[in-house]
Amino acid sequence: MNWLGQHWLAIALVLAYTALMVKHALDGKRATKGMADYYVGGRTMGGMALGISFFATYSSTNSFVGFSGQAFSYGAAWLLLAPCAVIFSVLAWTWIAPRLRRYTEEIGAVTIPEFMGTRFQSRVAQVTAAIIVLFASFLYMIAVFKGIGNLLETFLDIPYPVAIGLVFVIVVAYTAVGGFISVVKTDVIQGLVMFVAAILLFQGTVSAAGGLGSITTIRQTIAPELFQWNAAMPFLVLLGVMVAGTMKFMVEPRQLSRFYALEDDTARKRGMWVSTLLFLIVYTMLVPIGLYARAIINDPTMDTDLVVPTLLSNANVFHPSISSFLLVAMIAAAMSSLDSVLLVLASSFERDIVQRWLPAKTDDGIVARTKWYVALFAFITAVLALRPPGGIVSLTAFSGSLYAACFFPALIFGLYSAKGRGNAVVTSFAVGIGTLLIWPRLPIAIPVHQVFPAILLSTLTFGVIAWFSTTATPSDISAAT
């Protein structure tokens, strides 16, 4: 009873949030008439909703717990994450969105591997891309589960496994039922909640640290080492972490699926402005939090994934009512990413792998199987998250690096060139993955993050092989030329 008396407000808000998500799931189920609706919202959605969804699906607990706390050890250089997010948001909406939306509608593709398989006329490329989606998605979801698990464990005083189980139940309850339409509807609510939460989190942390001017004290006396470019690692390595984390806007299937659903080019332009402004405002407030936390938390060795949960549980930093709202906001942040990744993971598994060997005869059959995959993959992730293989930022960065190294050349060449076939796609995948794994283990220490050489070498590989391959037919590239 004492536990319930301490946390009743947070519990009430979580229950209210869950009820709202279930309502949206039922609304999404009623609006879903077939596979295209379940996977990509029927390609008739507006820019405002998809712009907020584009922001919300990226801004998970990886952002509110992982990214927000990372400056605690990475230092002031980590503040460059905000401009990176803005730059790659604009590039994704201007370089990728128009052609990808047009092309995928023409060929009827609803997943990124399906686009690659059709564009490059290669079933092997399609299946290989789907396997990459599976692996990278699991890494990312483990990071999200870890972030929200740490938060619930610290704030509500519940065991970590129980926290993981709670997240599993909530996300499956509405993602499997409502599909893409439900996901976007919930993302809009979650995005607005996260916008308010970022303001409250920034204001509360800065105020507890002594105000905006306290950054001078932190730089001069508390942690002067954090104000060097190479505070935690060589700057080019840190820049690679930030690029890998934000370049995902251009290459990650859960982000690109928003472009499939756009109604028209007017919606695309509106979505670009909405998402980019949200990234600019919210991330400008989130990334300095770990830096200001050094004036509040006296343990410089603390795991950066625990910085924000520690701040929320400190009554001297946040009033309990504010902490309760922020807890729900971060649950919303987790769900807004988990639902999108789960839907992409399940749809790609069904559409790009299972359908190759066990085709379903109707849209209803495809959707039904996809719903079961959502629950299955959420369960697998929850189990893996009990013993995560790394920290939030490291898992997120490697997932982003994997997508960037593998998918960047295939997407760019596929949308902007008539060259290339399946052999170029698959070989560039192998080179990108191999570089990511080998680069950090080279005997000569080179202070550059592996994402840079991985993208360079995979793109060069694709370009060289494509140069000597036959040109695609006009129907293959009609939307990309």
Side-chain angles (χ1 to χ4, degrees):
M1 287 300 294
N2 185 47
W3 177 84
L4 186 60
Q6 288 179 333
H7 303 294
W8 69 269
L9 180 57
I11 295 169
L13 289 174
V14 169
L15 291 175
Y17 166 81
T18 304
L20 181 61
M21 298 303 101
V22 172
K23 177 185 181 301
H24 283 161
L26 296 175
D27 290 344
K29 182 180 180 181
R30 284 190 290 269
T32 298
K33 307 302 181 185
M35 182 190 66
D37 289 337
Y38 190 81
Y39 282 3
V40 292
R43 305 183 196 271
T44 59
M45 305 193 79
M48 180 69 73
L50 289 173
I52 297 175
S53 180
F54 188 87
F55 158 78
T57 195
Y58 179 82
S59 302
S60 67
T61 45
N62 296 13
S63 301
F64 277 81
V65 176
F67 290 172
S68 292
Q70 202 62 53
F72 192 84
S73 63
Y74 281 6
W78 185 246
L79 303 185
L80 292 176
L81 181 71
C84 283
V86 170
I87 290 169
F88 283 112
S89 175
V90 172
L91 291 177
W93 284 92
T94 54
W95 284 9
I96 306 297
R99 297 190 177 211
L100 186 65
R101 167 65 178 82
R102 206 160 57 240
Y103 191 101
T104 53
E105 181 181 29
E106 181 175 304
I107 64 176
V110 293
T111 69
I112 290 298
E114 187 177 12
F115 157 73
M116 293 182 182
T118 303
R119 162 62 183 85
F120 297 106
Q121 301 180 350
S122 171
R123 180 174 294 185
V124 173
Q126 181 174 349
V127 173
T128 306
I131 293 171
I132 293 170
V133 169
L134 263 64
F135 183 73
S137 295
F138 275 124
L139 287 179
Y140 183 83
M141 289 194 299
I142 290 170
V144 178
F145 266 88
K146 181 180 187 297
I148 196 61
N150 286 340
L151 186 66
L152 291 172
E153 179 184 31
T154 302
F155 188 79
L156 292 182
D157 299 318
I158 60 177
Y160 180 79
V162 174
I164 295 297
L166 179 62
V167 176
F168 165 76
V169 170
I170 295 175
V171 74
V172 171
Y174 74 89
T175 305
V177 174
F180 190 87
I181 295 173
S182 169
V183 166
V184 172
K185 283 188 173 183
T186 56
D187 279 353
V188 171
I189 300 298
Q190 291 160 337
L192 296 175
V193 169
M194 285 187 279
F195 180 81
V196 175
I199 295 172
L200 293 175
L201 189 62
F202 178 76
Q203 189 277 331
T205 303
V206 170
S207 178
L212 288 171
S214 63
I215 198 71
T216 302
T217 303
I218 297 170
R219 180 174 62 84
Q220 293 178 346
T221 60
I222 298 177
E225 70 279 3
L226 294 182
F227 292 83
Q228 302 173 11
W229 288 111
N230 301 325
M233 61 187 71
F235 176 70
L236 288 179
V237 176
L238 179 60
L239 181 63
V241 172
M242 292 185 281
V243 168
T246 53
M247 191 179 180
K248 294 162 71 172
F249 298 160
M250 299 176 63
V251 294
E252 189 170 15
R254 68 181 169 121
Q255 301 295 141
L256 300 181
S257 65
R258 271 66 194 153
F259 302 153
Y260 285 51
L262 287 165
E263 183 177 18
D264 51 32
D265 197 57
T266 299
R268 178 192 65 83
K269 292 175 182 177
R270 185 176 295 116
M272 178 187 69
W273 282 109
V274 170
S275 68
T276 303
L277 285 173
L278 283 171
F279 280 120
L280 173 63
I281 296 169
V282 171
Y283 280 71
T284 297
M285 289 185 288
L286 288 183
V287 291
I289 285 171
L291 206 56
Y292 279 98
R294 290 298 292 265
I296 304 169
I297 300 172
N298 294 322
D299 180 9
T301 64
M302 172 178 282
D303 181 352
T304 56
D305 291 348
L306 298 178
V307 169
V308 171
T310 300
L311 293 174
L312 291 185
S313 62
N314 188 338
N316 294 322
V317 180
F318 295 103
H319 187 275
S321 60
I322 299 297
S323 293
S324 298
F325 173 80
L326 289 174
L327 174 69
V328 174
M330 291 180 195
I331 292 176
M335 300 305 164
S336 65
S337 289
L338 285 175
D339 56 16
S340 299
V341 179
L342 275 172
L343 189 59
V344 163
L345 178 56
S347 60
S348 188
F349 184 71
E350 166 64 27
R351 185 80 169 173
D352 303 310
I353 297 178
V354 176
Q355 279 287 315
R356 301 296 97 193
W357 290 276
L358 296 172
K361 295 181 179 180
T362 65
D363 276 9
D364 288 344
I366 293 173
V367 170
R369 293 200 308 204
T370 304
K371 291 180 178 181
W372 281 109
Y373 298 145
V374 168
L376 173 64
F377 292 141
F379 177 76
I380 293 173
T381 305
V383 172
L384 294 175
L386 295 176
R387 291 188 177 180
I392 292 174
V393 172
S394 62
L395 289 171
T396 302
F398 189 79
S399 171
S401 297
L402 192 59
Y403 279 128
C406 294
F407 286 3
F408 179 77
L411 280 168
I412 296 300
F413 277 91
L415 293 174
Y416 285 90
S417 172
K419 289 286 188 179
R421 281 291 185 268
N423 58 340
V425 177
V426 175
T427 307
S428 70
F429 287 172
V431 170
I433 294 171
T435 306
L436 286 177
L437 296 176
I438 295 172
W439 187 265
R441 295 169 175 79
L442 290 177
I444 301 174
I446 304 175
V448 176
H449 192 277
Q450 62 261 42
V451 72
F452 296 122
I455 293 173
L456 176 63
L457 292 177
S458 65
T459 302
L460 287 175
T461 299
F462 192 109
V464 170
I465 296 176
W467 180 261
F468 294 101
S469 69
T470 58
T471 302
T473 64
S475 62
D476 293 330
I477 60 167
S478 59
T481 57

